[in-house]
Amino acid sequence: MNEQDVNFNNQEPAIELPHDLDDAQRALAEVQALLRKQKVIESVVHNHQNTVNPERQSLVEELVHRQHLTELGNKLYLLHPADVAYVLESLPQEERMLVWGLVRSDRDGDILLELSDAVRETLIKSMDSEELFAATESLDADEIAELAPDLPRDVVEKLASSLSLEEREQLRAAMSYPEDTVGARMDFDMVTIRDDVSLEVVLRYLRRFDELPDQTDQVFVVDRLDHFKGSLPLDRLLVNEPETLVSEVMSREVLMLSALDDAYEAAQAFERYDLVSAPVLDPSGKLIGRLTVNEVVDVIREESEADLLSSAGLREEEDLFASVWESAKNRWLWLGLNLCTAFFASRVIDTFEGTIAKVVALATLMPIVAGIAGNSGNQTMTLMIRSLALGQVTAANFKLLLKKELAIAGLNGLVWGSLAGLAAFGLYFGSPNAVMLGLLMTLAVMLNLLVGSLVGVMVPLGLEKMGRDPAMGSSVLLTFTTDSMGFFIFLGLASLFF
């Protein structure tokens, strides 16, 4: 085989990508293009038979394979860990494992932190204990604590034994807090000072650091026993005279968090007050860590994703390329419930079989009543779930909120019910039942919109009172109610009218 038989070199044209992609999407597109190119070229080399020298054929195939793996590995090395995680989550299992094998081992831990739980679990299962230890030994205690639930017990124990006494205590503390609390999210890497020193002393102290901890917008002021006294924002440190004492310019009005505070509520406080970091205290007032905005962003994203999945009836986060069996099982619970509710709705229709037989037009108009109420109720429910998440719904304003939503539903029911009635009248104009069908549609739409609004308010509130996620299966329950009640109202009124 000569050079003309298979031509691969470094002069290949660059991959053309759309200009409107963000960094993560562009990285994914480039990796996918490299994977496709590798398959095409390897296929060409493999299919080009060389009966004279089969050993050379095999050698060329190996060289082509290594060249493209090297190119792909170099590309991955230049990407941010978060972008590599995005790429891994977006690839099928076979390609994902190939790309994961090309990631440098010293970056594995940072990338595992960025991955979704489902994908992280599959990658950890593919690694042995030595690989996992090598990937995570350079992480901080709080980062190890984040990965610990997914790591084998022997790896966690080995990591703990490799830490200093202080770091080991930090790891133990972080792992002792529930997953949805501030303590499980806090960072132990922070800067503390005393209030009886000058700003010049603080500046000299800060210059001794190679680099400040991420998201350092303030340094915390503590006493000799590490009890929190206040904070010194960096802008005050820079604009005041060097001989000024810390106690004279430090801020005492600081949002202080407890390790057992709900992480999502803390995230809402960050959003409300535009915070970058906040101190975390134990019950005695001792400073034990800090919460930073990068963790807060993760909390908000995870909460939003969980609400979205719950509202659709998905039990947990799902790997996009998980096996068909695993994905199907994740969707069974609410599909089963939906099947039962659908049979219930069918029984409602069956009860009024005689009425439908008299006026066949009723069968064609029924879905309209259920559909518009479902959409209206979903609007109310979405607003209610959001308001509950923000803590805006209280016992003091609940009745007013309910009255408002029912009034909105009544107004919309009158407007859109009238339009639906006119449309029904127009469709069956000339029929002796046209006027009655128009009135029936108007009343049924109005009443079912009121039902949808009532369910949209009460279901999320009821779920929260039971200690459940207000979004959990809410859309399924709403659909069941508006369908069943819509059919019942529409056909019940039809029985009276006809």
Side-chain angles (χ1 to χ4, degrees):
M1 181 179 293
N2 54 41
E3 292 181 357
Q4 284 72 32
D5 292 327
V6 178
N7 181 22
F8 59 94
N9 52 51
N10 294 325
Q11 305 304 317
E12 295 171 352
I15 300 168
E16 293 293 334
L17 297 174
H19 295 291
D20 58 347
L21 298 179
D22 64 22
D23 290 343
Q25 291 174 318
R26 180 172 292 275
L28 173 61
E30 290 175 352
V31 169
Q32 289 175 325
L34 288 171
L35 289 169
R36 286 195 302 270
K37 186 172 70 171
Q38 176 186 350
K39 289 180 180 179
V40 169
I41 295 180
E42 288 186 355
S43 177
V44 171
V45 173
H46 181 74
N47 292 332
H48 189 97
Q49 297 297 326
N50 187 337
T51 57
V52 178
N53 194 342
E55 292 185 1
R56 188 173 182 185
Q57 169 78 17
S58 177
L59 177 60
V60 171
E61 288 186 21
E62 179 66 19
L63 289 173
V64 170
H65 180 71
R66 289 187 178 182
Q67 182 198 36
H68 283 89
L69 289 184
T70 300
E71 184 179 1
L72 185 55
N74 291 338
K75 174 62 187 174
L76 294 171
Y77 179 70
L78 298 175
L79 297 178
H80 188 278
D83 290 338
V84 178
Y86 177 83
V87 169
L88 290 168
E89 291 172 351
S90 306
L91 293 175
Q93 290 282 0
E94 183 179 350
E95 293 182 352
R96 178 186 296 164
M97 299 312 299
L98 172 64
V99 170
W100 180 240
L102 296 176
V103 174
R104 284 180 43 168
S105 59
D106 59 345
R107 305 187 70 208
D108 285 351
D110 292 328
I111 295 170
L112 286 173
L113 288 168
E114 301 288 347
L115 288 166
S116 64
D117 291 342
V119 176
R120 179 194 299 161
E121 184 178 342
T122 62
L123 295 182
I124 286 178
K125 285 181 178 178
S126 71
M127 304 169 69
D128 60 34
S129 297
E130 291 301 322
E131 290 175 322
L132 287 171
F133 177 76
T136 53
E137 64 176 336
S138 62
L139 298 179
D140 295 333
D142 56 306
E143 295 172 331
I144 295 174
E146 183 176 344
L147 293 178
D150 298 320
L151 296 174
R153 184 179 183 85
D154 62 315
V155 174
V156 176
E157 292 175 351
K158 188 175 181 181
L159 285 169
S161 63
S162 68
L163 299 174
S164 66
L165 183 61
E166 180 183 6
E167 291 173 329
R168 200 175 307 157
E169 181 60 26
Q170 292 173 350
L171 176 61
R172 186 203 61 77
M175 293 177 63
S176 68
Y177 295 111
E179 184 180 359
D180 57 352
T181 61
V182 169
R185 297 279 187 168
M186 66 181 174
D187 182 5
F188 299 104
D189 196 8
M190 55 188 172
V191 181
T192 60
I193 56 173
R194 303 278 174 77
D195 64 349
D196 56 355
V197 299
S198 67
L199 299 185
E200 183 179 6
V201 172
V202 176
L203 285 170
R204 287 203 307 267
Y205 173 60
L206 294 180
R207 291 193 188 102
R208 293 167 55 187
F209 287 82
D210 294 330
E211 59 180 0
L212 293 177
D214 292 338
Q215 281 79 47
T216 297
D217 65 320
Q218 57 187 331
V219 293
F220 299 126
V221 184
V222 296
D223 62 18
R224 296 183 181 277
L225 298 177
D226 285 334
H227 289 100
F228 184 76
K229 302 184 69 175
S231 72
L232 177 64
L234 294 187
D235 57 347
R236 297 190 188 182
L237 173 64
L238 296 175
V239 301
N240 284 283
E241 295 297 327
E243 60 272 11
T244 306
L245 293 178
V246 169
S247 59
E248 297 176 16
V249 294
M250 74 179 195
S251 175
R252 291 178 172 82
E253 298 297 324
V254 181
L255 176 70
M256 294 172 287
L257 301 173
S258 166
L260 292 176
D261 285 342
D262 183 85
Y264 186 64
E265 292 180 1
Q268 291 175 323
F270 266 66
E271 180 186 16
R272 188 178 305 118
Y273 302 119
D274 296 326
L275 301 177
V276 175
S277 66
V280 181
L281 313 183
D282 68 7
S284 67
K286 185 177 179 180
L287 180 67
I288 57 175
R290 64 179 183 136
L291 186 66
T292 58
V293 69
N294 59 338
E295 282 294 330
V296 164
V297 171
D298 289 341
V299 169
I300 293 174
R301 174 183 55 81
E302 291 167 9
E303 188 73 16
S304 299
E305 290 177 353
D307 285 346
L308 183 63
L309 293 172
S310 294
S311 64
L314 291 173
R315 293 186 302 168
E316 58 188 24
E317 183 183 25
E318 184 179 305
D319 179 0
L320 186 62
F321 294 101
S323 69
V324 173
W325 177 251
E326 291 297 326
S327 295
K329 287 196 299 181
N330 188 34
R331 308 179 193 191
W332 279 352
L333 177 62
W334 291 100
L335 287 177
L337 178 61
N338 195 47
L339 180 62
C340 295
T341 60
F343 270 108
F344 182 85
S346 73
R347 293 301 87 200
V348 173
I349 297 172
D350 185 66
T351 303
F352 296 95
E353 183 179 1
T355 305
I356 297 173
K358 291 179 182 178
V359 186
V360 180
L362 296 175
T364 63
L365 296 175
M366 279 192 303
I368 300 174
V369 178
I372 191 170
N375 288 333
S376 175
N378 192 52
Q379 292 172 340
T380 301
M381 182 171 285
T382 301
L383 178 65
M384 189 71 179
I385 291 171
R386 175 184 177 275
S387 300
L388 285 170
L390 295 175
Q392 296 174 334
V393 180
T394 64
N397 63 22
F398 169 70
K399 289 184 179 179
L400 180 61
L401 177 63
L402 179 60
K403 289 178 181 178
K404 177 199 169 187
E405 289 302 320
L406 290 175
I408 293 171
L411 178 59
N412 282 333
L414 179 62
V415 173
W416 296 104
S418 299
L419 290 175
L422 288 173
F425 175 77
L427 285 172
Y428 297 98
F429 182 74
S431 167
N433 296 322
V435 175
M436 297 299 287
L437 285 172
L439 290 174
L440 174 61
M441 282 294 291
T442 300
L443 283 174
V445 169
M446 182 183 298
L447 291 174
N448 206 25
L449 254 66
L450 288 170
V451 170
S453 180
L454 182 63
V455 172
V457 172
M458 298 306 297
V459 166
L461 185 65
L463 288 170
E464 187 187 51
K465 292 294 184 183
M466 292 186 293
R468 309 301 293 270
D469 183 354
M472 186 182 64
S474 54
S475 61
V476 178
L477 296 174
L478 175 67
T479 302
F480 158 63
T481 307
T482 53
D483 283 358
S484 301
M485 287 302 298
F487 296 152
F488 180 78
I489 291 170
F490 182 71
L491 295 175
L493 289 173
S495 298
L496 296 175
F497 282 21
F498 300 105

